[in-house]
Amino acid sequence: MYQPREHFQSGKRFGLEFGGTVLSFDRVGDVLRRQWPVIAAAVGASLALVIVYLVSAKPMYTANARIMMDTRQTQVLDKENGTNSALIDPGFVDSQVEIINSDDLILSIVRRLRLTADPEFDGSNPGLLSAVTGRVMGLFGRGEPPSQERLERAVVESIQGNLRVERLLTTYVLSLSYRAHSPDKAAKIANAIADAYLVGALEAKYQSTKRATEWLQQRSVELSEQATASDRAVQAFKAEHNIVGTSRGLMSEQQLSDLNTQLVQARGATAEAKARLDRIGAISDQDVAQSTVTDALNNPVITRLRAQYLDLAAQYADWSRRYGRTHLAAVNLANKMDELRKNIADEVHRIGDAYRSDYEIAKSREASLETSMKELVAQAGNKGQAEVKLRDLESAADTYRNLYNNFLEKLQSATQNQSFPLSDARLISTATKPDRKSSPRSVLALVGGLVGGLCLGLGTAFAREFLNDVLRTPAEAEDELGVKCLGVLPDIRPAETKRRGLLGASAKGSVPGVSRYVVDHPFSRFAETLRNVKVSIDVARMTRETKVIGIVSSLPKEGKTTVAANFAQLIAMTGHRTILIDGDLHTRSLTRELSPETNSGLVEALNDPTAFGHHVQRSKETGLDFLPSVVASRMVNSADLIASKAMADLLAVLREQYEYIIIDLAPVMPVADSKAFSVLIDAMVYVIEWGSTTRAAVQESVSGSEVLQKKLIGSVLNRADPKMLGRIEAYKGKHRNSYYVEQA
């Protein structure tokens, strides 16, 4: 019977759990007592290294200079652009850091200060570590004296290693720090680097401005020639195509506009003459003595004749009334009136002839203008393509002229700025001689060595204690569970798993997979270990009824479903009536693996236990009956359902028809299904994942249920690494696996 460990019985003992390992004060004390030599050795070694470093290391002194990026200095002559408050791009400041650390700038310092002859850099006075390193490198070197270039490169690398340039927070200030064995030398080199940077910035600005000026001069000459050539091309094209320009545009366009205006006016005059002619024709057939004719014509002759006619008409009317119309005087008056009427008609005809003449003249002028317009339009159409080409030439000429003017202006500006002696940076803090060493810091180094040694020692001690917290041997499994370990199952998972239902048909009549490994590999170590499990169960059947066998594990993904499927098939292949039940109502992994297309199963069988056969799937190859679990979603009462009276009734019916009832149960730690079902089961096989399941997980799983402890018949270590397993079992000899055939 399993005996739980002390820290599960003693609920009042304080402890912390890390990855399934309980770490209490007592256990920490035990670790410290057992591993104190390791901790002491680590601390001693760390302090010894620190002391050796402090004794051998030369003191270093750090000098600091500060440079500020300030573009306002370059804006002294540029007051009109209003950019005094312009911000500097942070990337520009970061770029200056790289410039200060550049090889060329440091090399100029090395040559100016002649540092290759300095004892600190030429290797004539090395430290302990440098001396040892130099001797070792000398053993593998060619023994030839280094060249001047190599010496300078070595000094540059040494200065770069001791130089630190960084930007102060988000400001435009660069902090330049240099470390040296001498405080005077540290300040001297720091100031030299700062001065070299400022001078180099001025020189770079001068050279860039000079190159820009030279390029602008060359480009200005080219643009001047191009602008002149473009202007000449425009004039030559105009002369070739007889295109004359005026202040209002091209002459042809001006003529066309004027002619169009004259044509409009001529058409108006023609319409007016035609209206007068039509009017005179309309009144020619009327009585010319009427007032409407006189008023319409507004002619002084006709007006005078009509006045005479009216006077005679009045006299004629008076004398006719007095003397009668046949009277000689009345007849004379009538004759005079006819004469006047005839004169008026003649005058009207004369006016009509004048109007007709004016109309003909207006028509002739209009026709002449229309002819001229058509000729100009035809000429304009013929010159259309020439004008398009002219516009292109004029546009090119204007472009070259504008470019030339812009480049000429930039050339003048660059020429003025070429000798302007200001840069974008200035020195705001000169490096001074440091009064104390910056390294090594003895106290800080000793404290760091002590803390580092303690951390290393404690880490090593606890690693040696807890890295072996997983189970890898049958003895360890038996020590934790208190029951027999029935064997170690090797890892049979392929590199690429292809899941297909075992009970479904396939093209070749079989479906390869880990769930039917014992069918395809009946003489493998995996199958033989499961036979050992069956033998242990058969031995237990001699003393008690052992038909209902549960396969459980502490945590998910430990391989219990694979073990249950293969174990059931192994028993079925021996000819025993065997049924496999998917009792994990949460994940239903066994159902998805063996019969993914089924529509009913365990839950439906619980409603009518006597009709369970309608929900059973049988394998034609092995004769195994499988009762799947089909639920639409996870059940909140799965523990109650798996341990219900209906389940007990179903098991009672199954006991009468089957010799072995194998149930794949849910893992013990996540859910309570296995603990609730333990009262209905005869025996349990506990699956432990080799090298993964921790002792704490096993202890916590089994100690929570006394019934489960009693029903444990044994355990198996699953998914063991074959290579590691071979190392662990090397004591069994080289022929230990001669009876196993892993490939079918």
Side-chain angles (χ1 to χ4, degrees):
M1 179 179 175
Y2 172 76
Q3 297 294 333
R5 293 199 165 193
E6 181 182 0
H7 64 266
F8 291 107
Q9 293 177 342
S10 179
K12 296 182 180 181
R13 296 182 64 184
F14 178 77
L16 299 176
E17 184 175 353
F18 296 95
T21 300
V22 178
L23 183 64
S24 62
F25 286 114
D26 293 340
R27 189 164 187 182
V28 170
D30 294 340
V31 172
L32 294 178
R33 282 193 296 270
R34 288 193 297 268
Q35 301 292 339
W36 71 265
V38 175
I39 299 174
V43 172
S46 178
L47 290 177
L49 291 176
V50 171
I51 292 173
V52 170
Y53 166 72
L54 293 176
V55 172
S56 60
K58 290 184 178 181
M60 301 290 290
Y61 297 88
T62 302
N64 179 267
R66 295 188 178 184
I67 301 172
M68 180 176 180
M69 300 293 105
D70 189 2
T71 58
R72 291 177 298 179
Q73 298 182 90
T74 60
Q75 299 170 359
V76 175
L77 298 180
D78 195 13
K79 297 181 179 179
E80 296 180 356
N81 59 9
T83 58
N84 291 337
S85 59
L87 297 178
I88 303 176
D89 182 10
F92 172 77
V93 182
D94 296 334
S95 300
Q96 305 311 303
V97 175
E98 299 302 323
I99 293 176
I100 296 175
N101 281 299
S102 63
D103 293 347
D104 291 344
L105 189 144
I106 303 300
L107 183 59
S108 66
I109 300 299
V110 172
R111 292 175 178 175
R112 181 159 63 90
L113 299 181
R114 299 180 181 178
L115 296 180
T116 53
D118 192 294
E120 183 176 339
F121 299 102
D122 65 0
S124 60
N125 187 19
L128 178 60
L129 182 60
S130 299
V132 174
T133 305
R135 290 181 179 275
V136 173
M137 296 300 295
L139 295 176
F140 299 95
R142 293 176 295 179
E144 299 178 0
S147 63
Q148 181 66 20
E149 182 179 356
R150 290 182 58 189
L151 289 176
E152 291 178 347
R153 178 58 55 188
V155 176
V156 168
E157 293 177 356
S158 176
I159 293 178
Q160 289 176 338
N162 292 323
L163 178 63
R164 180 180 180 184
V165 184
E166 59 183 355
R167 181 182 182 182
L168 295 181
L169 300 178
T170 58
T171 65
Y172 297 146
V173 177
L174 299 180
S175 176
L176 189 153
S177 300
Y178 183 76
R179 298 190 314 150
H181 296 305
S182 170
D184 294 329
K185 189 179 300 181
K188 180 180 179 181
I189 294 179
N191 289 325
I193 294 175
D195 292 339
Y197 167 72
L198 296 177
V199 173
L202 286 174
E203 180 65 20
K205 185 176 181 181
Y206 172 77
Q207 292 296 334
S208 62
T209 306
K210 182 179 179 181
R211 288 191 296 269
T213 302
E214 294 174 354
W215 181 82
L216 286 172
Q217 288 177 346
Q218 180 181 0
R219 185 59 178 158
S220 297
V221 173
E222 295 176 357
L223 289 176
S224 177
E225 295 175 354
Q226 291 174 349
T228 302
S230 298
D231 290 338
R232 290 176 180 173
V234 170
Q235 298 303 324
F237 187 84
K238 286 182 178 181
E240 180 182 356
H241 293 83
N242 297 322
I243 299 175
V244 180
T246 64
S247 59
R248 294 188 296 170
L250 298 177
M251 182 175 290
S252 59
E253 295 177 354
Q254 181 181 352
Q255 291 176 349
L256 188 61
S257 176
D258 294 343
L259 190 59
N260 184 58
T261 302
Q262 294 176 12
L263 180 60
V264 171
Q265 293 176 354
R267 288 174 177 173
T270 302
E272 182 180 356
K274 182 67 169 57
R276 289 198 302 267
L277 181 61
D278 292 342
R279 179 59 178 165
I280 201 67
I283 65 177
S284 297
D285 298 332
Q286 299 179 6
D287 187 1
V288 294
Q290 293 180 3
S291 59
T292 55
V293 175
T294 305
D295 295 338
L297 294 177
N298 194 17
N299 186 274
V301 176
I302 294 176
T303 301
R304 179 169 51 79
L305 291 176
R306 184 176 178 276
Q308 294 176 6
Y309 175 81
L310 292 177
D311 291 341
L312 292 175
Q315 292 178 10
Y316 175 78
D318 184 38
W319 287 10
S320 296
R321 187 176 61 252
R322 291 181 182 182
Y323 306 109
R325 293 185 177 181
T326 59
H327 191 273
L328 182 59
V331 173
N332 291 331
L333 289 174
N335 292 332
K336 290 180 179 180
M337 291 174 60
D338 291 337
E339 184 69 22
L340 289 172
R341 187 179 291 111
K342 181 180 178 183
N343 292 335
I344 292 173
D346 292 340
E347 185 66 22
V348 169
H349 287 303
R350 187 188 65 78
I351 294 173
D353 293 338
Y355 283 174
R356 186 173 292 104
S357 177
D358 293 341
Y359 174 65
E360 293 298 333
I361 293 172
K363 284 180 60 179
S364 299
R365 186 170 181 271
E366 180 183 352
S368 176
L369 290 174
E370 287 181 349
T371 302
S372 300
M373 175 66 75
K374 291 180 180 179
E375 292 177 356
L376 286 177
V377 169
Q379 293 176 2
N382 294 332
K383 291 184 179 181
Q385 296 296 328
E387 292 178 359
V388 171
K389 179 63 175 178
L390 176 62
R391 284 193 291 269
D392 291 340
L393 293 175
E394 290 177 342
S395 177
D398 293 340
T399 301
Y400 281 121
R401 182 61 59 185
N402 292 333
L403 284 174
Y404 172 70
N405 293 333
N406 292 335
F407 269 81
L408 189 60
E409 181 181 355
K410 292 180 179 179
L411 174 60
Q412 295 175 354
S413 177
T415 304
Q416 294 176 359
N417 293 334
Q418 184 173 353
S419 60
F420 195 54
L422 288 178
S423 66
D424 294 336
R426 59 190 176 96
L427 187 65
I428 62 173
S429 178
T430 305
T432 59
K433 177 182 177 181
D435 56 356
R436 64 177 65 182
K437 67 177 182 179
S438 58
S439 65
R441 298 182 180 180
S442 304
V443 176
L444 183 61
L446 290 173
V447 172
L450 178 61
V451 174
L454 285 174
C455 293
L456 178 62
L458 291 174
T460 304
F462 282 95
R464 295 182 64 183
E465 288 287 329
F466 297 128
L467 285 181
N468 198 27
D469 191 50
V470 295
L471 302 177
R472 286 191 175 90
T473 63
E476 293 175 349
E478 293 173 359
D479 180 57
E480 292 298 327
L481 289 174
V483 294
K484 182 74 173 176
C485 180
L486 304 179
V488 180
L489 297 172
D491 192 355
I492 61 173
R493 290 175 297 177
E496 296 181 358
T497 303
K498 297 181 179 180
R499 298 181 176 272
R500 288 190 289 181
L502 175 65
L503 301 178
S506 64
K508 296 181 180 180
S510 63
V511 181
V514 295
S515 60
R516 54 167 293 139
Y517 191 84
V518 296
V519 179
D520 299 330
H521 307 83
F523 304 105
S524 62
R525 174 169 180 166
F526 187 87
E528 198 62 33
T529 303
L530 291 182
R531 290 189 183 95
N532 185 50
V533 176
K534 178 181 178 298
V535 170
S536 299
I537 293 175
D538 292 339
V539 171
R541 290 163 65 94
M542 297 179 181
T543 57
R544 58 174 179 172
E545 184 180 14
T546 308
K547 284 190 174 184
V548 183
I549 304 163
I551 309 298
V552 296
S553 64
S554 300
L555 298 167
K557 306 298 182 181
E558 294 192 65
K560 64 175 180 57
T561 300
T562 302
V563 173
N566 283 277
F567 183 60
Q569 291 176 91
L570 180 69
I571 299 176
M573 286 191 302
T574 60
H576 298 283
R577 288 276 295 166
T578 307
I579 185 172
L580 175 63
I581 301 175
D582 187 359
D584 190 353
L585 300 178
H586 297 274
T587 61
R588 305 176 297 282
S589 301
L590 193 58
T591 301
R592 290 197 302 268
E593 179 70 19
L594 300 182
S595 184
E597 304 297 333
T598 187
N599 298 321
S600 61
L602 177 61
V603 178
E604 291 75 10
L606 293 178
N607 297 328
D608 186 6
T610 59
F612 76 93
H614 297 292
H615 314 290
V616 171
Q617 306 290 329
R618 171 165 291 185
S619 173
K620 296 180 180 180
E621 184 177 5
T622 62
L624 173 67
D625 288 347
F626 174 57
L627 182 60
S629 294
V630 180
V631 294
S633 60
R634 291 190 62 178
M635 307 175 64
V636 296
N637 62 335
S638 59
D640 298 333
L641 183 65
I642 201 72
S644 62
K645 183 178 182 302
M647 188 67 184
D649 296 338
L650 176 62
L651 291 177
V653 174
L654 295 177
R655 288 176 187 271
E656 296 177 1
Q657 301 190 28
Y658 294 93
E659 298 177 62
Y660 295 88
I661 303 170
I662 311 300
I663 303 178
D664 178 27
L665 297 173
V668 178
M669 292 187 68
V671 292
D673 295 16
S674 298
K675 296 179 181 179
F677 187 73
S678 60
V679 297
L680 302 177
I681 210 165
D682 297 331
M684 285 188 177
V685 177
Y686 206 89
V687 178
I688 302 172
E689 187 174 5
W690 182 91
S692 179
T693 306
T694 62
R695 301 172 187 267
V698 175
Q699 295 166 5
E700 182 178 347
S701 301
V702 181
S703 64
S705 174
E706 185 176 354
V707 177
L708 189 147
Q709 299 171 20
K710 294 179 179 179
K711 297 296 180 66
L712 281 180
I713 196 172
S715 64
V716 291
L717 290 171
N718 188 33
R719 294 179 179 174
D721 185 359
K723 295 182 179 179
M724 293 294 296
L725 194 60
R727 296 176 185 176
I728 295 175
E729 298 179 347
Y731 66 94
K732 296 182 179 180
K734 61 181 180 179
H735 302 294
R736 60 187 180 279
N737 294 326
S738 58
Y739 281 86
Y740 304 141
V741 181
E742 296 296 331
Q743 300 296 331

